[in-house]
Amino acid sequence: MATIKIRFRQSKVKDNGGTLYYQIIHKRAVKQLYTDYRLRGDEWDVENDSVIIDNGRDTSRATYLSSVSNGIRNGLDSLNSIVRRLESSGSNYTVEDVASAFATPEGSSSGVLSFIRKLTEDLNGIGKHPMARRYGLILNGLLKFTEGLDIEWHDFNSTFVAGFEEFLRKRGLCRNSTSFYMRNLRSIVNRASESDFEVPGNPFKYVYTGVDKTIKRAVTLKTVCRIRDVDLTGYPHLDFARNVFLFAFYTRGMSFVDIAFLKKSDISNGVLTYFRRKTSQQIQVKLEPQTRDIIAKLGESPSTYLLPLICNETEDAEFQYKKAYNRVNRNLKTIGEMLNLESKLTLYVARHAWASIAHHNNIPLSTISKAMGHDSEATTLIYLRSIDSSVVDKANRKIISLMKTE
């Protein structure tokens, strides 16, 4: 079976950087496929064959390097998919056959999986990273379902989609999770239809694409105060998780991904300004004294990021974020068990709690929506545009002050 690797070749011209290329090896024959990606020598990890992304040095360069990393990963997936397809066909293929299938437009974009792969590359290229990640999850799920083989659009029918849903269920996904896959897959199919691919009619006829009601994740103000006041002396890892939870609550239910990627430069004149990674909406939060205390408790970050969650500027920021997310949630679960809470304590509980407590204290729904950066309902947006940020800050101050009476 052919092996596929990514390699970096330094330019012989000084300060000219280098080029990335795919190396195909099969039956002692070697084929090199050069990419258009250009990197400096210090941007390539030779031992791990991966891009080194320095998020603190140059934002535009970091974005480019991130797109390069995603691009070569998708390229490797595509080449390996081609190899698996050739192997399963039983043909006596060569490295030239693999290269030809990779380079041929018809072979690289006509299938369902190839289309999704190209779509994720394009989305990463224009900075739509969250959407590209979602579509990447769908692609990975389909690759497992088809065992790496692509599928033509005329075979993408309701039977295939229902089979994919059943495959996900057997892997332990709940109905809301399989629905997440189906909704995003439907979005991909809509894009394919707009690109004139012929998709069989109503392939999602027999699968669930709704959202079931889940167990209530919000907690009461009294519970938030218990989380704040529990004695965690001797448990610094739990105390750190508790403070991240409180930071999320004090900043109007800020999501963890936004917390992790906050920069020190985002604070100016006592106001924290950031863009939601999910919607790109700009949010401004006035820092209350309690929030400043939490920032101090969490400690100084050694990087350009505000909080010590993404600490190493030379490592992939996304990887550090995910690692921190899992670590903090794991420790919050422990705190919840210590307090005998009925439901699992997670970072998302802070967001739900702020909204729930604000609603119970007669803060207008439109103000709550503005505070949390919601923009999914057109009717809500009409009201949100007329609300001044000072009103939202006043609402946040009111919520925090209520804790003094508990």
Side-chain angles (χ1 to χ4, degrees):
M1 185 173 180
T3 58
I4 312 294
K5 295 182 180 180
I6 186 72
R7 292 285 186 253
F8 174 74
R9 175 163 292 169
Q10 182 71 48
S11 173
K12 293 181 180 180
V13 180
K14 188 178 180 181
D15 299 327
N16 246 23
T19 306
L20 289 172
Y21 65 92
Y22 300 107
Q23 179 177 272
I24 309 170
I25 305 175
H26 184 53
K27 294 182 178 180
R28 299 184 180 180
V30 180
K31 179 74 175 180
Q32 297 172 347
L33 301 178
Y34 282 85
T35 73
D36 294 327
Y37 301 127
R38 305 287 299 181
L39 301 180
R40 299 192 299 266
D42 62 350
E43 294 173 334
W44 183 251
D45 184 340
V46 179
E47 292 185 5
N48 298 308
D49 291 331
S50 61
V51 180
I52 298 172
I53 304 174
D54 186 350
N55 290 280
R57 184 181 300 173
D58 185 336
T59 302
S60 60
R61 187 63 180 176
T63 300
Y64 169 73
L65 293 175
S66 179
S67 67
V68 170
S69 180
N70 288 318
I72 61 175
R73 187 183 305 116
N74 288 327
L76 288 170
D77 287 343
S78 180
L79 284 165
N80 282 310
S81 177
I82 291 168
V83 169
R84 286 191 292 268
R85 186 174 70 246
L86 291 171
E87 286 283 341
S88 65
S89 68
S91 62
N92 186 24
Y93 69 94
T94 66
V95 291
E96 295 295 340
D97 293 326
V98 178
S100 177
F102 184 69
T104 304
E106 291 78 15
S108 63
S109 61
S110 62
V112 176
L113 304 190
S114 298
F115 175 82
I116 300 174
R117 186 177 293 111
K118 179 64 166 58
L119 179 59
T120 57
E121 290 176 0
D122 292 343
L123 289 170
N124 274 315
I126 61 175
K128 298 289 186 179
H129 303 302
M131 184 178 294
R133 283 196 294 271
R134 291 199 302 274
Y135 289 172
L137 286 174
I138 309 307
L139 175 61
N140 290 334
L142 286 169
L143 283 169
K144 292 182 176 68
F145 176 54
T146 64
E147 297 183 345
L149 301 179
D150 209 340
I151 176 173
E152 296 301 321
W153 283 105
H154 59 74
D155 293 323
F156 188 85
N157 51 35
S158 59
T159 302
F160 175 86
V161 176
F164 180 43
E165 182 190 47
E166 182 62 22
F167 169 78
L168 294 172
R169 286 177 180 170
K170 288 181 177 179
R171 292 178 65 86
L173 274 67
C174 67
R175 225 162 71 118
N176 275 346
S177 294
T178 61
S179 177
F180 167 83
Y181 276 79
M182 294 302 117
R183 294 195 308 274
N184 280 280
L185 184 56
R186 184 174 59 190
S187 173
I188 292 169
V189 170
N190 289 339
R191 287 174 176 265
S193 296
E194 291 172 357
S195 300
D196 296 327
F197 285 92
E198 294 186 8
V199 182
N202 201 7
F204 298 91
K205 182 178 180 179
Y206 301 113
V207 298
Y208 181 66
T209 57
V211 180
D212 289 336
K213 289 185 177 180
T214 56
I215 298 173
K216 185 179 178 182
R217 284 185 275 189
V219 294
T220 64
L221 180 64
K222 185 175 182 180
T223 299
V224 175
C225 290
R226 288 181 65 204
I227 295 170
R228 178 197 63 187
D229 299 334
V230 61
D231 185 4
L232 297 176
T233 304
Y235 302 96
H237 56 296
L238 298 182
D239 185 48
F240 183 89
R242 182 253 306 278
N243 288 329
V244 173
F245 178 92
L246 290 174
F247 180 88
F249 185 81
Y250 290 156
T251 53
R252 308 184 324 225
M254 187 185 299
S255 65
F256 184 73
V257 66
D258 293 327
I259 292 173
F261 284 92
L262 289 173
K263 294 293 189 75
K264 294 173 182 175
S265 57
D266 290 336
I267 297 179
S268 178
N269 298 320
V271 176
L272 178 61
T273 303
Y274 69 99
F275 289 88
R276 287 203 68 199
R277 289 173 69 86
K278 184 176 181 180
T279 63
S280 298
Q281 183 179 349
Q282 186 185 66
I283 306 291
Q284 290 186 323
V285 183
K286 182 178 180 181
L287 293 181
E288 302 297 335
Q290 294 87 340
T291 316
R292 292 181 180 278
D293 289 343
I294 289 296
I295 294 175
K297 288 179 180 179
L298 287 169
E300 179 75 15
S301 171
S303 66
T304 57
Y305 294 97
L306 177 63
L307 303 179
L309 296 165
I310 300 175
C311 301
N312 193 329
E313 300 279 11
T314 62
E315 292 184 5
D316 182 60
E318 287 285 341
F319 174 77
Q320 293 182 71
Y321 146 69
K322 292 176 182 177
K323 190 174 180 180
Y325 176 81
N326 292 330
R327 182 177 65 251
V328 172
N329 265 334
R330 185 171 59 249
N331 291 328
L332 284 177
K333 179 183 176 183
T334 301
I335 295 173
E337 292 170 349
M338 290 172 62
L339 296 173
N340 295 315
L341 300 184
E342 294 182 1
S343 57
K344 182 180 176 182
L345 183 62
T346 67
L347 286 160
Y348 209 61
V349 170
R351 184 170 176 81
H352 275 252
W354 193 94
S356 177
I357 295 168
H359 179 65
H360 287 144
N361 282 275
N362 300 317
I363 291 175
L365 179 60
S366 54
T367 303
I368 298 171
S369 298
K370 174 72 173 180
M372 302 183 74
H374 289 161
D375 67 349
S376 59
E377 296 182 4
T379 52
T380 303
L381 285 175
I382 294 173
Y383 288 98
L384 301 187
R385 293 190 188 101
S386 64
I387 297 177
D388 189 88
S389 293
S390 63
V391 177
V392 176
D393 288 325
K394 184 178 180 181
N396 190 39
R397 188 158 52 250
K398 179 178 179 181
I399 294 299
I400 296 174
S401 66
L402 287 170
M403 298 175 71
K404 298 176 182 179
T405 63
E406 291 294 332

